[in-house]
């Protein structure tokens, strides 16, 4: 059984450095001045925010973990959380569009050779190009090992066939890390990962999917039909794909979880303000315990979520690798479910006004739902947590 860290680790501090405070303030100001004014319009029109992605890129708010040797800032997982919370506080649809390169480039950062990193990482810093993580398929979302795309070796190339769906930014990406079976009979041990240029012959974007929330983010389905990919584009060895996918998700889940914290924080702020202004029975509704306690629970659970995210990132930054799996899932599960609860309660606090589009909490409730689904549903996080607790790791 895994021992759960009770916080005895040396060196834990909640004090941010001056640089971290500045980074967070930069992201907050960008979210307030650039993202918030476009939030409603991008949601209504399902507009891909290319302009805002370009601005975020110019400010250095994208691709934060690319090492300095490839032109990046090489920031820690923890620093990334400070930026993501603010961007998602601005709008999680726009925030996801800006931060999804972290997931797309994750396998290259974690598993690419020096040559592969030198080829694919510097262009991300030079211009606001996008990359995607193409794991999910129409018949394989939670059950990654069930994916059916294939990659057949043909000389110095692989030939890829299959369908991918629910892929963030795929409709605008330069390249994607595509997971496919090189040995379908070997189940998850037969899965491999490839960098595929999205402009390659045989890659067809089939659909920009219309979502309930986070509508500013492009989520697309695409087909691979006899797509030829050079052997040099394979990440790791044949058969490493499953572990590459899992380790990447361990690395990115705290960053997604903190997005849920940003959304919950936004909903909480709206509910707090409204509860101080709205008067019923001669009192601001905040003074009625029924509402005051709801707001108190929001604040408490948001802070608990934030701290779980911070701990998971701290573990990743301190080289705890596989041990961080449990903590990434704690953070993702708790923050996603908290965002759903907080945004639902914020709608309740605003009553009839909360339910109409003129007020922002209706959108936040729709946006929050996705955190319980993407990058592993809340049920998958519970499954990971249960396995990590009950099953010793090899
Ligand atoms: N790191 C490294 N290795 C890992 C690992 C990890 N985090 N988790 C598991 N493994 C290893 C195991 O140790 C095991 O190794 P051996 O074969 O050597 O024993 C092997 O991988 C198999 O592990 P499991 O038995 O746990 O595998 P499983 O098939 O039962 O499934 C799962 C595990 C956790 C359910 C996995 O399928 C999963 O994470 N599913 C959710 C997928 C997901 O998050 N999808 C989201 C896609 S991305 C997205 O949504 C973003 C977007 O663009 C919209």
């Amino acid at each position: 059984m895994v021992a759960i860290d009770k916080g005895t680790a040396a060196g834990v501090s909640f004090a941010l450095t001056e640089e971290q405070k500045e980074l967070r303030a930069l992201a907050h100001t960008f979210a307030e001045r650039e993202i918030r004014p476009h939030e409603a319009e991008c949601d209504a029109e399902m507009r891909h925010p290319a302009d805002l992605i370009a601005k975020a890129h110019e400010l250095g708010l994208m691709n934060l973990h690319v090492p300095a040797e490839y032109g990046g800032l090489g920031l820690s997982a923890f620093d990334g959380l400070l930026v993501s919370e603010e961007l998602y506080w601005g709008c999680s649809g726009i925030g996801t569009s800006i931060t999804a390169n972290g997931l797309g480039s994750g396998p290259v950062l974690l598993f690419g050779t020096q040559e592969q990193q030198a080829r694919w990482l510097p262009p991300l810093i030079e211009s606001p190009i996008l990359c995607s993580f193409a794991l999910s398929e129409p018949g394989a979302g939670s059950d990654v090992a069930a994916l059916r795309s294939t990659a057949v070796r043909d000389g110095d190339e692989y030939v890829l066939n299959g369908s991918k769906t629910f892929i963030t930014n795929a409709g605008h990406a330069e390249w994607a890390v595509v997971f496919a079976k090189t040995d379908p009979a070997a189940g998850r041990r037969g899965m491999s990962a490839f960098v595929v240029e999205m402009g390659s012959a045989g890659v067809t974007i089939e659909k920009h999917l219309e979502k309930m929330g986070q509508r500013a983010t492009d989520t697309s389905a695409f087909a691979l039909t006899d797509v030829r990919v050079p052997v040099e584009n394979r990440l790791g060895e044949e058969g490493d794909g499953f572990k590459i996918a899992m380790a990447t998700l361990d690395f990115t889940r705290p960053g997604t979880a903190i997005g849920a914290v940003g959304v919950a924080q936004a909903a909480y702020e709206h509910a707090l303000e409204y509860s101080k202004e709205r008067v019923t029975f001669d009192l601001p509704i905040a003074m009625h315990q029924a509402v005051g306690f709801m707001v108190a629970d929001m604040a408490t659970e948001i802070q608990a979520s934030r701290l779980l995210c911070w701990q998971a990132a701290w573990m990743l930054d301190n080289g705890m690798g596989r041990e961080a799996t449990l903590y990434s899932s704690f953070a993702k599960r708790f923050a996603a479910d908290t965002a759903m609860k907080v945004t639902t309660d914020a709608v309740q606090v605003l009553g009839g006004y909360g339910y109409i589009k003129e007020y922002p909490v209706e959108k936040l409730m729709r946006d929050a739902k996705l955190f319980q689904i993407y990058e592993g549903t809340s049920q998958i996080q519970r499954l990971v947590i249960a396995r990590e607790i009950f099953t010793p790791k090899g």
Side-chain angles (χ1 to χ4, degrees), residues 132 134 149 160 164 176-180 192-196 198 222 224:
S132 295
S149 292
L160 271 63
K164 294 289 171 184
V177 174
V178 172
F179 294 85
S192 304
F194 303 90
V195 177
V196 175
M198 293 298 279
F222 67 92
L224 300 144

Side-chain angles (χ1 to χ4, degrees), residues 41-75:
E41 155 227 333
C42 286
D43 174 59
E45 295 167 14
M46 266 178 66
R47 180 168 82 74
H48 169 68
D51 50 342
L52 296 169
I53 292 171
K55 282 186 187 170
H57 185 271
E58 201 182 319
L59 281 174
L61 294 173
M62 281 179 77
N63 309 303
L64 301 174
H65 310 305
V66 171
E69 62 189 298
Y70 302 120
L73 295 172
L75 295 185

Side-chain angles (χ1 to χ4, degrees), residues 142 166 168 188-189 242-243 246 250 253 375-376 387:
S142 291
F166 305 130
T168 302
R188 70 173 82 79
R189 291 201 168 86
F242 188 85
K243 286 184 183 172
M246 292 300 112
D250 285 345
R253 278 175 183 155
E375 282 196 52
R387 286 187 182 178

Side-chain angles (χ1 to χ4, degrees), residues 96 100 103 111 132-136 140-146 165-169 188-189 218-219 242-250 252-253 321-322 325 370 373-377 380-381 383-384 387-388 393-394:
T96 299
L103 181 60
F111 295 94
S132 295
F133 181 81
L135 182 65
S136 301
S142 291
D143 184 3
V144 171
T165 194
F166 305 130
I167 311 302
T168 302
N169 283 341
R188 70 173 82 79
R189 291 201 168 86
D218 170 57
T219 306
F242 188 85
K243 286 184 183 172
I244 291 176
M246 292 300 112
T248 302
L249 290 166
D250 285 345
T252 58
R253 278 175 183 155
R322 191 70 175 83
T325 300
L370 191 49
I373 298 172
Y374 67 3
E375 282 196 52
T377 62
I380 285 294
Q381 305 311 327
L383 185 124
V384 171
R387 286 187 182 178
E388 292 295 315
K393 285 181 286 291

